[in-house]
Amino acid sequence: MNQVLDLVGIFVFALSGALVGVRRKLDVVGMAVLAAVTALGGGILRDLILNVPPAAFFSVGYVVTPLIAAAIVFFWHPQVERVMPVVNVFDAAGLGLFCAVGTEKAMDYGLSPLHATLLGVTTAVGGGVLRDMLAGQIPVLLYDRQLYAVPALLGSAVMAVLYVLDLHGWPATLAAAVLTFALRIAAVRFRFQAPLARGVTADE
């Protein structure tokens, strides 16, 4: 079940990466690269930090899924853009799943709760940061105006606390993922935004 959820999250993240490629007018190779980096980058960064072989290199599905997403966007990007509200719901679900799984894996490898939380966030948003850098734009993480990283941070922190309380496994993962999902959806629905520096307005 976890692998199925992983692949769903990878697929949705890959769609968003490929769409950035379309908007930046990249060719099919560039779209595929952005799709793969967005979907797999965070998990690869996590595993490299943990000094373990990246899980993406041991599953054909992890490689094929981003390519399928890139192909769908290549041929039908106008239709994908139209259903982006639905895609964003799955994106929020993927965000929650990845931050929870990343935090739990970090705790399994002996990291402190604080460091595991940070690594959980890295798992969830690292691919998006790499995508934006490759696409030549400021990473969305650095101006988190729609609260993307904040829900991941809170979800990862909850996962770390549950683990310390010896409440881990799929129930804890699900609880942390649902919390992240709910916060992300609420941020989109009610337009919650992270504050700017004192005296700075959004127009500046």
Side-chain angles (χ1 to χ4, degrees), residues 7 16 60 71-72 86 97 112 116 130 138 142 151 162 171 175:
L7 292 176
S16 70
V60 174
I72 290 172
V86 176
L97 176 68
S112 71
L130 294 174
I138 299 174
L142 300 183
L162 291 175

Side-chain angles (χ1 to χ4, degrees), residues 85-111:
V86 176
V87 173
N88 285 337
V89 172
F90 286 102
D91 180 83
L95 181 75
L97 176 68
F98 282 16
C99 76
V101 170
T103 303
E104 183 174 31
K105 187 169 184 177
M107 295 290 287
D108 285 340
Y109 276 83
L111 269 66

Side-chain angles (χ1 to χ4, degrees), residues 2-197:
N2 282 346
Q3 187 173 22
V4 173
L5 293 174
D6 258 356
L7 292 176
V8 171
I10 287 170
F11 179 76
V12 174
F13 281 5
L15 285 179
S16 70
L19 282 172
V20 170
V22 172
R23 294 166 189 154
R24 302 294 288 181
K25 298 183 179 179
L26 303 183
D27 61 21
V28 65
V29 176
M31 290 173 57
V33 169
L34 289 189
V37 165
T38 307
L40 305 175
I44 292 174
L45 285 174
R46 174 202 64 210
D47 291 342
L48 290 175
I49 291 171
L50 293 175
N51 198 30
V52 298
F57 295 159
F58 292 90
S59 170
V60 174
Y62 280 42
V63 177
V64 172
T65 300
L67 298 180
I68 293 173
I72 290 172
V73 173
F74 180 81
F75 288 106
W76 297 291
H77 58 89
Q79 290 84 352
V80 175
E81 289 277 15
R82 282 200 293 271
V83 299
M84 274 308 291
V86 176
V87 173
N88 285 337
V89 172
F90 286 102
D91 180 83
L95 181 75
L97 176 68
F98 282 16
C99 76
V101 170
T103 303
E104 183 174 31
K105 187 169 184 177
M107 295 290 287
D108 285 340
Y109 276 83
L111 269 66
S112 71
L114 173 61
H115 293 101
T117 297
L118 296 177
L119 199 52
V121 176
T122 299
T123 305
V125 306
V129 171
L130 294 174
R131 173 202 64 207
D132 293 341
M133 292 173 64
L134 287 174
Q137 55 192 33
I138 299 174
V140 174
L141 179 66
L142 300 183
Y143 54 101
D144 194 18
R145 299 293 288 151
Q146 288 192 335
L147 295 191
Y148 196 79
V150 171
L153 178 63
L154 294 175
S156 295
V158 167
M159 183 70 237
V161 169
L162 291 175
Y163 195 103
V164 169
L165 296 175
D166 203 26
L167 298 171
H168 43 93
W170 72 263
T173 302
L174 182 62
V178 168
L179 172 65
T180 304
F181 172 82
L183 291 173
R184 172 60 181 157
I185 293 299
V188 173
R189 174 67 178 82
F190 299 106
R191 298 183 179 180
F192 296 149
Q193 295 184 336
L196 297 174

